[in-house]
Amino acid sequence: MRVSDEELMRRCCEGDTGAFELLVMRYKDSIFNFTYRFLADYHQAQDLTQETFLRLLKNSERYKSRDKFKPWLYKIAANLCKNEIRNKKRHPKISLDEYIKIENPIASSYSSPDEAYERKELSHLVKDILASIPEDQRMIILMREYQDLSYEEISSALGCSLGAVKSKIYRARQNIKEILIKQEIA
Amino acid sequence: MKCEKIKSLLSAYIDGETSVKDSRIIKKHISRCYECSEELRLMQEVSDFLGNWKDVQTSDDFCEVLLAKAENISLQPHRRITNAVRPFAGPGGLFRFAFYGAAILLFFAGLIVLSKFTLSESPMVEPLPNRISIQKIDQDKTNISSPDSSLHYMTMAEMKTAGIWE
């Protein structure tokens, strides 16, 4: 039987390192992809994902057993992402990803080179379009489209109302739709 | 519902986040409204398009590095530590806080009363050695008087001049 995240977190608070490792295994990929899509920087995303789990450990005493674990974890990751963007604006620097080409192990496993190329192109296009929408809309659309968080979980992670979540997702999709229509993709 | 209202709900509709009642109304509306059904198609296309950015994997040593960093934090049973550090936390915390607070207040009040009592009878309460009252000077047969008060004080220098202090 699968132990719930909340139960693992409770054990983690009691000093169980095994429970912490299990939580890392469960969420490392989703948190990493969330931060990677938000920052569009592989190395920074990896650092931030590790920092998210370390913060989880450091702040485990603040976790209340009635809190849902997933939104709580995403809240930590989202705050770290926002801080990172703020720091980037203050101290702009060139990302390592601009020098090192990060190969996507899943995207590059297509049967034909044409298909792989097309996928890569589309992937870049999505990346560019997401980078062009406002940060708050980008964060919320990433949580919904890729992380499959419910509106309630998003509102809990970002500390905003359900109505605000609904309208931000709607506006984000409208923005993306307009860009796609302009570029004659949709 | 009007088309504008329906369109504003389509985003939540494709996420399955509209109420049962709204979902029924939207379904019924788009079955006979071309414009809204086209808007729904575009919304779904946006979602499909975003799905083209596939997941990326972390580096092979990700967990190893993370767990090494985590070891430095030393996973402790926070709850127990918290109770030890915060004696007023948990049930009865307020009562304990009030009890200890009252005990500390009583202790200080006692100290104040005791110090007042001992000070009033203490031989330590004497005029400073470099000052002396006029009455004492009169007793010592000196003729220094105060123009405005019987409690005139002399400085040590004055007393030395008057020859009553060596």
Side-chain angles (χ1 to χ4, degrees):
Chain A
M1 202 183 85
R2 185 186 149 102
V3 185
S4 73
D5 297 336
E6 289 73 20
E7 173 61 21
L8 285 175
M9 191 58 208
R10 194 189 59 76
R11 288 187 201 170
C12 194
C13 290
E14 287 172 355
D16 185 345
T17 42
F20 175 69
E21 282 179 37
L22 257 174
L23 284 172
V24 170
M25 293 314 288
R26 270 187 200 177
Y27 284 100
K28 75 175 171 66
D29 288 330
S30 47
I31 293 293
F32 169 69
N33 277 288
F34 169 67
T35 51
Y36 174 60
R37 286 186 178 112
F38 188 76
L39 299 169
D41 185 315
Y42 186 89
H43 297 282
Q44 262 185 353
Q46 195 151 273
D47 288 346
L48 234 71
T49 307
Q50 286 180 343
E51 188 56 33
T52 303
F53 286 105
L54 295 175
R55 291 272 171 107
L56 177 140
L57 262 190
K58 284 177 197 164
N59 301 327
S60 59
E61 61 193 293
R62 286 190 206 161
Y63 178 79
K64 294 172 196 118
S65 53
R66 62 175 180 276
D67 289 347
K68 288 260 181 167
F69 175 76
K70 203 171 162 183
W72 193 68
L73 184 65
Y74 274 94
K75 189 180 196 167
I76 299 174
N79 285 338
L80 285 170
C81 282
K82 283 180 200 167
N83 289 345
E84 188 59 39
I85 291 284
R86 215 175 296 144
N87 287 342
K88 264 188 181 177
K89 278 179 188 166
R90 276 191 210 143
H91 313 286
K93 53 189 172 191
I94 300 164
S95 151
L96 263 181
D97 287 7
E98 287 177 27
Y99 295 109
I100 309 162
K101 202 79 184 161
I102 303 299
E103 281 301 319
N104 183 337
I106 299 172
S108 58
S109 63
Y110 290 99
S111 50
S112 72
D114 284 349
E115 196 184 352
Y117 177 76
E118 197 184 324
R119 279 281 167 196
K120 219 170 185 176
E121 284 295 298
L122 270 171
S123 192
H124 279 295
L125 197 60
V126 177
K127 195 175 170 180
D128 291 344
I129 289 175
L130 279 174
S132 69
I133 65 172
E135 267 163 39
D136 57 336
Q137 290 180 17
R138 182 161 83 241
M139 182 162 279
I140 225 162
I141 205 80
L142 289 179
M143 284 183 172
R144 178 61 220 156
E145 290 285 349
Y146 299 98
Q147 311 311 130
D148 212 25
L149 263 67
S150 69
Y151 283 20
E152 203 182 331
E153 285 172 326
I154 296 172
S155 91
S156 168
L158 298 179
C160 55
S161 67
L162 267 179
V165 172
K166 263 187 198 179
S167 72
K168 275 182 186 172
I169 293 180
Y170 170 74
R171 269 185 272 141
R173 284 187 174 136
Q174 285 294 327
N175 280 342
I176 297 168
K177 187 190 85 179
E178 277 160 26
I179 297 169
L180 290 178
I181 289 171
K182 262 186 205 165
Q183 297 191 2
E184 295 175 348
I185 298 166
Chain B
M1 259 193 240
K2 286 182 178 174
C3 285
E4 279 311 305
K5 177 76 181 160
I6 294 286
K7 280 179 188 170
S8 70
L9 289 172
L10 288 178
S11 172
Y13 177 71
I14 60 167
D15 289 330
E17 295 274 357
T18 43
S19 67
V20 180
K21 189 186 164 195
D22 282 349
S23 300
R24 210 181 307 132
I25 294 169
I26 294 165
K27 204 173 174 183
K28 198 175 168 187
H29 181 92
I30 53 176
S31 67
R32 51 192 166 79
C33 175
Y34 174 77
E35 203 184 313
C36 288
S37 68
E38 192 59 14
E39 182 69 18
L40 180 67
R41 187 188 64 79
L42 284 170
M43 278 283 168
Q44 278 165 338
E45 243 176 63
V46 167
S47 267
D48 294 344
F49 170 76
L50 292 174
N52 284 311
W53 193 358
K54 300 289 178 195
D55 278 358
V56 181
Q57 285 172 343
T58 53
S59 62
D60 294 338
D61 63 345
F62 177 87
C63 285
E64 205 181 312
V65 174
L66 171 61
L67 294 176
K69 283 181 186 173
E71 254 179 42
N72 295 332
I73 294 176
S74 77
L75 202 58
Q76 293 290 332
H78 292 296
R79 292 273 151 81
R80 267 178 272 145
I81 284 175
T82 309
N83 284 344
V85 173
R86 297 183 197 163
F88 306 125
L94 193 65
F95 175 76
R96 277 199 298 279
F97 178 76
F99 177 78
Y100 288 122
I104 290 165
L105 276 176
L106 270 174
F107 174 74
F108 281 110
L111 269 183
I112 291 165
V113 169
L114 199 68
S115 65
K116 275 193 176 172
F117 178 73
T118 48
L119 278 175
S120 62
E121 293 185 359
S122 168
M124 285 169 70
V125 189
E126 284 180 344
L128 288 169
N130 61 341
R131 287 176 181 267
I132 190 163
S133 70
I134 192 72
Q135 284 93 340
K136 189 160 172 46
I137 294 164
D138 285 342
Q139 279 170 14
D140 291 344
K141 295 181 178 145
T142 57
N143 287 324
I144 297 162
S145 61
S146 166
D148 50 4
S149 165
S150 61
L151 285 172
H152 177 74
Y153 289 91
M154 290 174 80
T155 63
M156 197 187 279
E158 285 169 338
M159 284 189 290
K160 274 182 181 170
T161 319
I164 57 169
W165 190 276
E166 290 183 24

